[in-house]
Amino acid sequence: MTSSRKARLYGGMDAEERRAERRLKLIDAAIDVYGEVGYRGATVKAICEAAELTERYFYESFANSEALLIAAYNHVVGHLHEEMAAAAAGGGDDPEARLRAALTLYFTRLKEHPKPARVFLLEISGISPAVDAVKLDALRVFSDILVPPARDPNGNDKGAATTLLSIGMVGAVISIALRWVSKHYRQPVEDVVAIAASFCRVALTEADRRQD
Amino acid sequence: MTSSRKARLYGGMDAEERRAERRLKLIDAAIDVYGEVGYRGATVKAICEAAELTERYFYESFANSEALLIAAYNHVVGHLHEEMAAAAAGGGDDPEARLRAALTLYFTRLKEHPKPARVFLLEISGISPAVDAVKLDALRVFSDILVPPARDPNGNDKGAATTLLSIGMVGAVISIALRWVSKHYRQPVEDVVAIAASFCRVALTEADRRQD
DNA sequence: CAGTATTGACAATCTATATTGTCAGATAAC
DNA sequence: GTTATCTGACAATATAGATTGTCAATACTG
């Protein structure tokens, strides 16, 4: 008991730390592999090899492939959203400025990291209900960053029509991103941002109009 | 030779006709099954059972599952696009009227036929490069129906920026449709059309603006 | 009716991968 | 240096479904 209370150290890390490190390596490897061959083409074996770990450690951290996909997605997208939110905050109070700042960051990151880009744009669709739910959640966050939800003075939820506007906006931005990525980043970032912003403006102004 | 020139009739149909009929039954069954369990959840066996045919006939008409998915998709979407084009034509010369007519038809059909809707909205994403290509093609047609491509007086192709506008527009419309379908058609058709149209208007007006 | 083409049911095979299990060697603790 | 823990390689098993093959029953033809 006394000696087993704290796990033996390996490489200066206790059991928990080692586990966490392996988990992270698997997530990184997964992003790499998904980026190469797609989620469906990615085998557990291939991911483990890329992570320089064996299958054993895969099942130590994840119940199955899907769990890893979700973890990888959340890893990438969580980070991205934080950055976007920060960028938006830098735009001050002007909705238009916030929007452009967030979009600029989004498309810049997309261009800097093609493989993660593939994970959260492409690979995440239509895998399973669980994955869809995760994605849906992320898109809501994404939308809220671009165009913060307008609540009426009573603090009520926005209406169904406004939701569809958000959905459409995000759909447009994602589709543009997808195309831009798949065509190897033809246009400069600022051009793409301008085009995406024109769709976001619909959500911005329509939502106002409907609130009168 | 003389007697084998014409195939034996079964049920009043010659070999070719019977083959065509079975093919059609398989496509219909596939749409049904995809609508229930998704493309990935759909086994060859299940589709054959739904079609009241055996696996043999599956491989008679299709090289593999993917081929059937593509056939089913083209079947559904080809028909839809014809109808949309006709509806648009009924809108006369006014781009706005054409747009609304086409969108109204689109969302109306979506509501009338939930299962085919699932096939061409959801099931078609990220299966394989071949399927993606088919989808890409269909979306281009879809886009051209909603907002006919503006060609400059010299008949040149539209620019890359205009392409991204089309992509964004279609992305918005499809996303709205997806949500509307998955939430069981909450809003009336005309409301959804109005929202979708507001995104299409971006492509309409921006394309003009950029052409000056 | 005899003979052949066609069909339907289903078994056999094949492939691919996930998942679990084994074990020898390496590493840290004492 | 001895022992317990941990690690890496890899074998064994399980599953699922596609694809091909067999054969008797059925429907047509002349």
Side-chain angles (χ1 to χ4, degrees):
Chain A
M1 249 258 180
T2 37
S3 77
S4 69
R5 168 145 305 171
K6 219 155 194 76
R8 176 180 290 190
L9 296 183
Y10 261 66
M13 293 183 281
D14 72 16
E16 196 45 47
E17 292 173 313
R18 295 198 303 276
R19 239 175 56 83
E21 165 144 318
R22 287 191 292 259
R23 192 188 135 92
L24 223 9
K25 279 183 83 172
L26 282 167
I27 288 178
D28 285 343
I31 292 171
D32 254 32
V33 175
Y34 295 160
E36 299 288 352
V37 301
Y39 170 69
R40 268 165 225 105
T43 64
V44 171
K45 199 157 179 263
I47 290 172
C48 291
E49 274 167 16
E52 299 176 297
L53 292 171
T54 61
E55 289 98 317
R56 174 132 70 98
Y57 297 110
F58 183 97
Y59 294 101
E60 174 196 55
S61 285
F62 305 99
N64 49 44
S65 294
E66 193 179 305
L68 173 52
L69 174 64
I70 291 175
Y73 182 74
N74 283 334
H75 182 77
V76 168
V77 170
H79 199 56
L80 180 70
H81 284 173
E82 279 177 25
E83 286 193 297
M84 284 178 67
D93 284 334
D94 177 23
E96 175 78 21
R98 296 174 62 93
L99 174 63
R100 288 191 155 258
L103 282 177
T104 300
L105 187 121
Y106 177 67
F107 285 104
T108 302
R109 287 288 174 275
L110 231 50
K111 186 167 182 176
E112 286 169 351
H113 305 296
K115 280 180 189 177
R118 177 163 178 172
V119 172
F120 56 77
L121 282 177
L122 211 48
E123 299 306 332
I124 198 65
S125 275
I127 306 294
S128 78
V131 177
D132 286 346
V134 170
K135 177 187 179 183
L136 217 59
D137 225 56
L139 292 188
R140 205 181 28 67
V141 173
F142 185 72
S143 167
D144 288 352
I145 292 172
L146 291 182
V147 176
R151 293 174 181 286
D152 65 23
N154 307 327
N156 285 333
D157 230 3
K158 56 190 178 174
T162 312
T163 300
L164 281 188
L165 280 169
S166 306
I167 299 278
M169 170 183 79
V170 172
V173 174
I174 299 279
S175 301
I176 289 167
L178 211 45
R179 169 68 170 224
W180 187 58
V181 170
S182 77
K183 291 289 179 179
H184 306 97
Y185 313 100
R186 288 263 181 76
Q187 298 87 346
V189 168
E190 51 180 358
D191 289 11
V192 185
V193 168
I195 293 171
S198 61
F199 286 100
C200 296
R201 226 164 279 129
V202 172
L204 214 52
T205 61
E206 285 286 309
D208 279 356
R209 207 169 55 65
R210 281 157 193 275
Q211 206 127 59
D212 295 346
Chain B
M1 247 243 183
T2 37
S3 77
S4 69
R5 170 145 302 172
K6 218 152 196 77
R8 177 181 288 189
L9 296 183
Y10 262 65
M13 292 183 281
D14 70 17
E16 196 46 47
E17 291 174 315
R18 295 196 305 273
R19 239 175 57 84
E21 164 143 319
R22 287 191 292 257
R23 192 188 134 92
L24 224 9
K25 277 183 87 171
L26 282 167
I27 289 178
D28 285 343
I31 292 171
D32 254 31
V33 176
Y34 295 159
E36 297 290 351
V37 299
Y39 170 68
R40 268 165 226 103
T43 64
V44 171
K45 200 158 178 265
I47 291 172
C48 291
E49 273 167 17
E52 300 177 295
L53 292 171
T54 60
E55 289 98 316
R56 174 131 71 99
Y57 295 111
F58 183 97
Y59 294 102
E60 173 194 56
S61 284
F62 306 100
N64 49 44
S65 294
E66 193 180 305
L68 173 53
L69 174 63
I70 291 176
Y73 183 73
N74 282 334
H75 183 77
V76 168
V77 170
H79 199 56
L80 179 70
H81 284 173
E82 277 177 28
E83 286 193 297
M84 285 179 67
D93 284 334
D94 178 24
E96 175 77 21
R98 297 174 62 94
L99 175 63
R100 290 192 155 259
L103 282 177
T104 300
L105 187 122
Y106 177 66
F107 286 104
T108 302
R109 287 287 175 275
L110 231 49
K111 187 167 182 177
E112 287 170 350
H113 305 296
K115 283 181 186 174
R118 176 160 182 177
V119 173
F120 56 77
L121 283 178
L122 210 49
E123 298 307 331
I124 197 66
S125 273
I127 305 293
S128 79
V131 177
D132 286 346
V134 170
K135 178 188 178 182
L136 217 60
D137 225 57
L139 292 187
R140 204 181 30 66
V141 173
F142 186 71
S143 167
D144 289 353
I145 292 171
L146 291 182
V147 176
R151 295 174 179 284
D152 65 22
N154 308 325
N156 286 333
D157 231 2
K158 56 190 178 176
T162 311
T163 301
L164 281 188
L165 281 168
S166 306
I167 299 280
M169 169 183 81
V170 172
V173 174
I174 300 281
S175 301
I176 289 167
L178 212 43
R179 170 67 170 227
W180 186 59
V181 170
S182 76
K183 290 290 178 181
H184 305 98
Y185 314 99
R186 288 263 183 75
Q187 299 84 349
V189 168
E190 51 181 359
D191 288 11
V192 185
V193 168
I195 293 171
S198 62
F199 285 101
C200 297
R201 228 165 277 130
V202 172
L204 214 52
T205 61
E206 284 286 309
D208 279 356
R209 209 170 55 64
R210 281 159 193 273
Q211 205 128 59
D212 296 347

